[in-house]
Amino acid sequence: MFFEIVVIFIFQSDIGQGRYGVGVFYDLSEWSTDDLPNINATTGTVIPYHYSFEGSDVFNITQRVCDLSGNEILGFITFTSCNKGDVINYHAQLLNLPNVLVTKEDEPCITSSSQPTLALLPDCRLMNRAYASVAMHKTWRSVNVLYDEFYDEYCIQDLVDHFSSFSIFSTVIHVSKGSEIEASFSFLNIEKATVIFTVLDVNRTVDLISKANSFGMFARQFYWVMNIDFNILWNTYALQNGHVLTVSTNMGPKTDVRVSSAILTDVISAYGYSLELMLKSNSSYSIGKYDCNDNRPTTGGRHLLQSLVKNLIQGSLGTLAWTLYGAQDSTVYIYSSQTGHNTFTKVATYKYTTGFHADDSRLFKNVFKDFGNRTLRVVSWTSTPFTIRGIRANNQSYYYGFCYDIWDEFAKVFNFRYVSIDSIDGTYGGPTDDGKNGTGMVGMVMRGEADVGIGPFTVTAARETVIDFLTPFQEEGVGIIMRKSDDTTGRMFRMFLPFQPNSWIATAMSIVVTGFILSLVSILSPYTRKSDKPWYKNVWLAFGAFFGQLGGDSTTTSASGRVVLGIWWICTILLLQLYTANLAAYLTIPPAKSPIKNIEQLAASSEYKPLVKTGSNLDFLFKGAKSGVYKQIRDKMDGMPVIKTTEAGYNLVQTGKYAYMTDVSQLRYKILKDCENLLIPEETFHKAGLSFIVRDDAEFKTAFNMHMIRMIEAGLIAKFHSKWWPRVSECDAHNYVKTATELQIDSMAGIFIVYAAFTGLAIIFFMAEIFFFHLIQPCLKDKKSEVTEVKKNNESSDENDSNHSL
């Protein structure tokens, strides 16, 4: 089908008269006859030469351009696709004439600033800038983009470049079929992607919404930005409760003929207005004619293009303006879904010349802002110093502590008051076996009896099946606290603790080795006195030098021996000073050694029984253990007393029979108050985050999470932590004031025991000497005398025999 329509308008000018025309091309393959503008509705002073064509017959398009060679043409208006519009753009560039390209609203494209082309509705770069502005306003650092053939490769690359320019990482996923949409959702769920942009065909977007709803991806943790007219989605209930933005030029339904008519009227008016301004400034100005055969350019076409871009025309569709890269500077409207409303609400706009403008700080109307001075119910239970329970004068309980310092900051920012209630059964709780209910504070929040649970709730997978956690305010491990063992023997021999056993062995061996070196030097040196050569004398000399107990002639006569002995004196001075300094510290501040260093030793210990708070995450952890060390702990917990408060656990620890396990921060707080009797090993286990609990899909969860992150980054959480866990404990302060500790007899008894032991050894040696001198030595002398006498008799007999033989 091919037909031609020509409608003539006479241009009237105050300066001069002339007949100027605009070539108007309609692509009936892209625009239906119902979409064609009403030519009779256009009024103005420029002649529109109207041509219609079908298909992609480049020859016919070229021929229609050449048919205008006998007229003074201001430029072209082309209603077609981006690809076919390039043909008109090519001839417009050769002839130096402006061309206004009008594409369907569902077909964005990129115009080239190097060609004399102006794009009217839409240019994808304008949409991309609006998308990037939304991401920047929300401070997103990572986004996901779903696209199809609706966005060509140039448009999608431009979008990625815009995100990259703002340091936003983008994951691009191509979608072409319904099954691939489902695969994309599976990928996004696995990756826990929360920000999703869509640049899809309208029909595919509607299909995507249906499938996304079946995947539960309009929950509050997901954020959607869709390129679609919100009027198409007004009755989609799933979007009302989710976080959804629609981005479009909002020009109305695409089948509305008045839109194309208004476009034609506005563009022709823009041509006429720009030409009139140029004629006023230069009465001799002329567009001129051209010859299609030799492609001779017109004169003044480039000036007219510049005038079109420079001058703003107020038309029926608003202000007609273009960006620097030749696209219409349309207003991009951004609408948000809102719970309880059957339509979307405008929240922001974007325009190339004016940039991004948000109506208020919230783009997503379903995003929580504040409570409006509402009173919340918060449930807690004693976990010093996280939550400490107090009683007011009216016998009503209240709570304070580390967690409530954090909670008070939330109350200031989100404008709410709160009342504290106690745990229904004195436990933190968890889900029931069937997962349909919960115990303790977890159950109260799950059933709506409380809005928030405040305390050091350990983040566990089991609890997350029935409630949600806020962003953890700290990571915590489980520690073990126990009473110090009364080691009387250790106190008696404390004076030997400054050196470990291997240090004592090394010291003793060095004494012996030094003695043998001195003996070797004494034996081999020609300048050594004979009395200095026995090895035992040199060993004793080294021993005496070590303890500074030398008497008489306490050195050797040879120079080499004196050098060896002098070096040994230097070593002994250093060793003795180290021992003396460390001994003072050990006697003043006795070291605490934990009898249990980790959970494995606790499981194997027969001295201590394990304790945990009833209904805590550790209680569930050990009770659910099927094997390993946790099962060993569970077996030892049979018959464990019911512990509902941390203080009850500490009271049982004081008996010396139990080892209590809970968050190590609580234990360290207790140690700061009572380090004389309690101790905790350095090793912890089962590290996890500590957080507050809220009900599933709480509308304020995302806002609270963001504020918790801000508090952590600002150092506010660390400030509260230092308030309740000071660097100097009461024990440290006590030891600072009391610079010396009186030594009791039990700390000195070891000295006397060692003295008594060596005295007894000396007595044994003394008795051995007496026994040897009075009993053994006389017998040896008598035996020696007998042997001598026998030997003499034998010699005498031999002599007599010799004489007789002679």
Side-chain angles (χ1 to χ4, degrees), residues 261-486:
S261 299
I263 290 174
L264 181 60
T265 302
D266 288 351
V267 174
I268 290 179
S269 297
Y271 271 115
Y273 179 74
S274 298
L275 179 61
E276 184 175 3
L277 292 177
M278 295 179 67
L279 290 174
K280 284 182 179 180
S281 61
N282 184 3
S283 59
S284 61
Y285 178 82
S286 176
I287 292 294
K289 301 178 182 180
Y290 67 92
D291 187 351
C292 196
N293 295 324
D294 58 9
N295 292 329
R296 185 174 70 250
T298 63
T299 59
R302 177 62 65 178
H303 297 290
L304 183 62
L305 176 67
Q306 295 173 355
S307 179
L308 283 170
V309 174
K310 181 179 179 181
N311 298 303
L312 303 180
I313 305 299
Q314 189 66 32
S316 59
L317 297 178
T319 303
L320 190 61
W322 282 273
T323 64
L324 294 178
Y325 49 81
Q328 182 194 11
D329 190 15
S330 302
T331 300
V332 178
Y333 296 93
I334 302 169
Y335 291 83
S336 172
S337 60
Q338 189 169 1
T339 303
H341 292 70
N342 60 356
T343 186
F344 282 61
T345 303
K346 186 177 75 68
V347 293
T349 58
Y350 179 83
K351 201 169 185 180
Y352 180 82
T353 52
T354 58
F356 182 81
H357 174 73
D359 295 344
D360 57 38
S361 58
R362 288 189 303 162
L363 284 185
F364 293 92
K365 285 301 182 181
N366 285 339
V367 172
F368 171 80
K369 184 177 182 181
D370 61 41
F371 286 99
N373 203 31
R374 183 178 133 203
T375 300
L376 302 183
R377 295 166 299 168
V378 298
V379 60
S380 293
W381 194 243
T382 300
S383 293
T384 308
F386 290 97
T387 52
I388 305 173
R389 188 172 184 266
I391 302 295
R392 292 192 174 94
N394 58 0
N395 205 30
Q396 183 180 0
S397 64
Y398 71 97
Y399 287 87
Y400 63 98
F402 173 67
C403 288
Y404 274 85
D405 286 347
I406 299 174
W407 185 242
D408 288 337
E409 288 297 319
F410 279 97
K412 295 176 184 177
V413 174
F414 296 105
N415 188 25
F416 65 85
R417 296 173 293 173
Y418 64 89
V419 293
S420 298
I421 56 179
D422 296 331
S423 172
I424 192 172
D425 57 3
T427 66
Y428 276 66
T432 55
D433 294 336
D434 57 8
K436 297 180 180 180
N437 207 332
T439 60
M441 291 186 281
V442 171
M444 295 176 69
V445 173
M446 175 187 176
R447 294 186 296 270
E449 298 169 10
D451 297 300
V452 183
I454 302 299
F457 287 87
T458 303
V459 178
T460 64
R463 286 174 173 171
E464 279 194 310
T465 60
V466 293
I467 48 90
D468 274 345
F469 288 94
L470 298 183
T471 298
F473 51 81
Q474 73 180 51
E475 186 181 56
E476 190 68 286
V478 177
I480 307 171
I481 192 170
M482 63 203 77
R483 184 179 176 84
K484 292 180 180 179
S485 58
D486 189 13

Side-chain angles (χ1 to χ4, degrees), residues 633-640:
I633 294 293
R634 185 196 68 181
D635 294 339
K636 295 187 67 174
M637 287 170 56
D638 290 341
M640 180 191 76

Side-chain angles (χ1 to χ4, degrees), residues 524-543:
L524 298 179
S525 176
Y527 297 100
T528 304
R529 292 178 302 189
K530 189 175 181 179
S531 60
D532 293 339
K533 291 186 177 183
W535 67 269
Y536 56 86
K537 183 175 183 181
N538 288 285
V539 173
W540 189 253
L541 181 63
F543 183 80

